[in-house]
Amino acid sequence: MPDIWIMRIGHRPQRDKRVTTHVALSSRALGAKGIYVDTFDDVLEENIASVVDRFGGDYTIKTGVTWKEAMRDFNGKVVHLTMYGQTVDEAIPKIPKDEDIMIIVGAEKVPAEVYQRADFNVSVGNQPHSEIAALAIFLDRFTEGKALYADRDGKITVVPNERGKTVVENPQ
Ligand code: SAM
């Protein structure tokens, strides 16, 4: 599986605090390597780093990243999630599995240049909904569901359980 990176555009620290946190957490849980966020936000960085510290994996977050430069310098294919794009079913077989991908999600209106520069403009349904939902569905399909229960070797591991909560503390 290639490395998957997220680029979050239009993040407003006060207004989008919760949504961008969930974009990061969902993408981590669904197999991404890390997230770039356009606006500097140290609180967001600390929150995500704290989850990674406890639950493991090598997910990284960097805020204050210019999307134009990130897109230009990225060595791989750029996938922009937008309700105007080609269908996810059409797109996924065309996206190479031997190159890393950068997935762009917006907060508000995304600049036209993103549509032009992306290698793939991909829709997850043709209705407006949420970057969290779009990203989750895209990632689950792209990774064929393999990331959901992957071992992340964290300080704690949640063990799936039919009833009750099973949390194991791992020796470090
Ligand atoms: N009003 C904004 C616009 O016109 O671009 C859309 C804002 S939407 C809440 C935020 C992000 O969610 C979008 O930038 C896109 O990445 C994602 N998104 C929303 N609906 C989508 C869909 N049907 N397919 C793919 N991505 C979607």
Side-chain angles (χ1 to χ4, degrees):
M1 190 51 64
D3 288 351
I4 303 169
W5 295 90
I6 313 301
M7 175 79 233
R8 167 72 156 152
I9 295 184
H11 170 69
R12 296 151 293 185
Q14 282 313 312
R15 202 176 148 173
D16 299 319
K17 184 165 52 177
R18 210 159 177 283
V19 177
T20 304
T21 300
H22 288 188
V23 165
L25 293 180
S26 305
S27 68
R28 173 183 170 273
L30 286 150
K33 286 286 275 188
I35 185 167
Y36 301 112
V37 179
D38 58 352
T39 313
F40 177 71
D41 188 336
D42 51 351
V43 176
L44 177 68
E45 288 191 6
E46 279 165 29
N47 290 341
I48 300 305
S50 149
V51 172
V52 175
D53 181 52
R54 284 177 293 138
F55 287 87
D58 59 356
Y59 189 89
T60 56
I61 176 164
K62 190 170 180 205
T63 70
V65 174
T66 312
W67 67 262
K68 277 188 194 181
E69 287 172 17
M71 228 171 142
R72 186 194 60 209
D73 298 342
F74 186 69
N75 189 8
K77 296 288 185 241
V78 174
V79 175
H80 169 219
L81 294 182
T82 163
M83 69 170 169
Y84 304 104
Q86 64 179 308
T87 71
V88 65
D89 294 328
E90 257 177 341
I92 285 198
K94 296 183 200 161
I95 301 173
K97 285 268 167 56
D98 56 355
E99 282 184 66
D100 293 346
I101 65 166
M102 172 180 275
I103 306 175
I104 301 199
V105 289
E108 42 177 8
K109 198 167 166 39
V110 167
E113 217 178 323
V114 173
Y115 290 80
Q116 289 145 16
R117 288 193 184 195
D119 296 295
F120 301 93
N121 289 294
V122 178
S123 63
V124 180
N126 58 357
Q127 303 298 313
H129 51 85
S130 147
E131 47 275 51
I132 302 166
L135 195 52
I137 291 172
F138 176 84
L139 285 174
D140 194 52
R141 293 202 181 177
F142 188 73
T143 61
E144 298 168 356
K146 294 191 177 102
L148 286 179
Y149 296 100
D151 186 17
R152 289 178 174 83
D153 203 20
K155 286 181 183 161
I156 55 175
T157 304
V158 174
V159 181
N161 195 343
E162 195 177 347
R163 216 177 286 278
K165 300 179 182 175
T166 310
V167 181
V168 174
E169 296 206 18
N170 302 310
Q172 294 294 302

